Amino acid sequence: MADRILVVDDEANLRKVLAAMLRREGYEVDTAEDGAEALQMLDEERYAAVLTDLRMPQVDGMAVLRRVMARTPETPVVLLTAHGTVETAVEAMKLGAFDFVNKPFDQQELSRIISKAVRTSALAELESTTLARGDDQGRFGLIGTSASMMRVYEIIERVASTPSTVLVTGESGTGKELVARALHEQSGRASRPFIRVNCAAIPEGLIESELFGYEKGAFTGAVASKPGRFELADGGTLFLDEIGEVSTEMQVKLLRAVQESEFERVGGVTTRRVEVRLVAATNRDLARDVADGKFREDLYYRLNVVPIALPPLRERPADVPALANHMLVKYTQRLGRRGVERFSEDALLALQAYPWPGNIRELENVIERTLLFCDGPEIGVTDLPAEFTGRLSGAGGLPPITPFVSPNGVTALKDVVRWTTQAVERDLIERALGETAGNVTRAARRLEISRKSLQIKMKELGLREPER
Ligand SMILES: Nc1ncnc2c1ncn2[C@@H]1O[C@H](COP(=O)(O)OP(=O)(O)OP(=O)(O)O)[C@@H](O)[C@H]1O
Ligand SMILES: [Mg+2]
């Protein structure tokens, strides 16, 4: 059966030309004259690829792209763009577009891109039906099937069973710890210990004895000898989390332990040897720290044998629906909220459009908060926190960003934080009151604060106690 392609363009002539050209190449072609029609057709039919004009009245190519990414992210979308819309094209690529072609287009280039897109989608289909290893949501306990996550899985698979040191980097909340655990679980060391050291949480003076242990009498309070984390991890994996926070002095000691696998306990003379797999993680740009003289170059190279860079969530919006559903299942169970079953399409689109500065940890948080206040079987946009409903910047809601600028023209971050917090609080309180028909006691219970604190908060925020 021939592959079916959807062509979306508001110009009748171009639509005809494109359809004729693709039919000549042996594809089946459906056409839509605007985004709205395209969305409808996408509901009814699965396409091997979608070719859409970017600029169209009302529902544009970006909307078509978003819909495809939300519903069938494996369907490749190719955009036709006019010159001078490079930024939008880049934006589209980030959202998961397969490629874009500038108008006026070169027939050969377009036909090459379409055939590549169709092959990719055939491959994706094959993978999801016959070759699926792990489940179709992700692998190794990690959710996500975006190209960047697939690369991460591939590295995990290749290096898990080797003894090579891995450096996991990525913004806060991107899953660095999960990757470290996956490396351990997939290795031959899985039955041996996985020991995590949070280098940022251990006070400077204690880190050496934590890592290497100490002998009795090494310092006041050392009433008995104690092995350190290196020893505890022997035969297993040692995860040095937040490695970028280690002092330069400690870096020297670590270097030796990493390089020679040997060390002495604090106050000890015997040199000890261990066999551990090291995984380090940081949300800092270590290469930059090296250039700035804050991190030892030799240690950096020792750690960075196999780099795994985790992409921020905003660069892989295609993964948002699967992650959100995963968190939905997790928290409906944990919070005992059985009635909530799914997200509306609009809610998923709103979640995908959000920039997620706190990445997956923030997403998890948002889903948990949403579940607390949601009743229906379906979570709609209005059930999402204030950041997603547009109320923060819009009508009837809260002051837009500009009032954050103080009289001397400076935007004080603390004011922004205060405004934003208040905005979120106000929204949550209004919702709780709405849902309890203005019953302050019951609203307070929902918000998990005392009735008294709720009243104080309402006063601060200028919210009047509703008349009942
Ligand atoms: N790909 C993923 N699939 C499912 N859950 C994920 C994924 N990545 C992260 N999480 C979840 O998000 C939360 C944060 O992940 P994790 O602690 O691994 O992030 P991190 O990069 O170590 O963050 P930080 O730098 O703040 O320590 C955890 O609850 C984790 O289970
Ligand atoms: Mg972490």
Side-chain angles (χ1 to χ4, degrees), residues 58-86:
Q58 278 121 34
V59 185
D60 64 1
M62 287 298 255
V64 173
L65 171 65
R66 287 209 180 85
R67 165 78 69 109
V68 172
M69 289 300 117
R71 288 263 177 103
T72 52
E74 68 280 2
T75 307
V77 177
V78 177
L79 289 148
L80 279 170
T81 55
H83 278 302
T85 49
V86 181

Side-chain angles (χ1 to χ4, degrees), residues 248-266:
T248 28
E249 191 193 338
M250 205 42 225
Q251 288 172 24
V252 181
K253 294 189 167 133
L254 256 180
L255 177 66
R256 174 168 167 239
V258 172
Q259 204 159 277
E260 326 279 353
S261 299
E262 59 180 46
F263 56 90
E264 287 90 36
R265 286 181 178 175
V266 176

Side-chain angles (χ1 to χ4, degrees), residues 142-143 172-178 323 327 360-361 364:
L142 289 140
I143 307 287
S172 177
T174 46
K176 297 185 290 295
E177 187 167 344
L178 275 190
L323 280 164
M327 301 301 175
I360 299 166
R361 181 172 297 112
E364 190 165 3

Side-chain angles (χ1 to χ4, degrees), residues 336-403:
R337 305 218 48 153
R338 294 265 139 56
V340 193
E341 291 163 7
R342 59 180 177 273
F343 294 94
S344 74
E345 192 172 312
D346 288 353
L348 283 180
L349 288 174
L351 290 172
Q352 280 186 298
Y354 183 73
W356 299 111
N359 294 296
I360 299 166
R361 181 172 297 112
E362 185 183 7
L363 173 71
E364 190 165 3
N365 223 307
V366 164
I367 304 303
E368 181 178 2
R369 262 196 292 158
T370 303
L371 277 173
L372 286 174
F373 293 103
C374 173
D375 287 318
E378 183 169 278
I379 299 175
V381 181
T382 48
D383 295 311
L384 297 175
E387 325 54 311
F388 299 90
T389 54
R391 295 195 48 193
L392 277 178
S393 54
L398 303 138
I401 286 288
T402 29

Side-chain angles (χ1 to χ4, degrees), residues 429-444 451 454 458 464-468:
I429 291 172
E430 278 178 350
R431 249 188 249 190
L433 285 170
E435 282 164 11
T436 58
N439 184 322
V440 178
T441 312
R442 278 174 49 218
R451 184 191 152 86
L454 178 54
M458 287 169 63
R464 286 195 314 147
E465 203 160 319
E467 285 164 22
R468 303 202 300 131

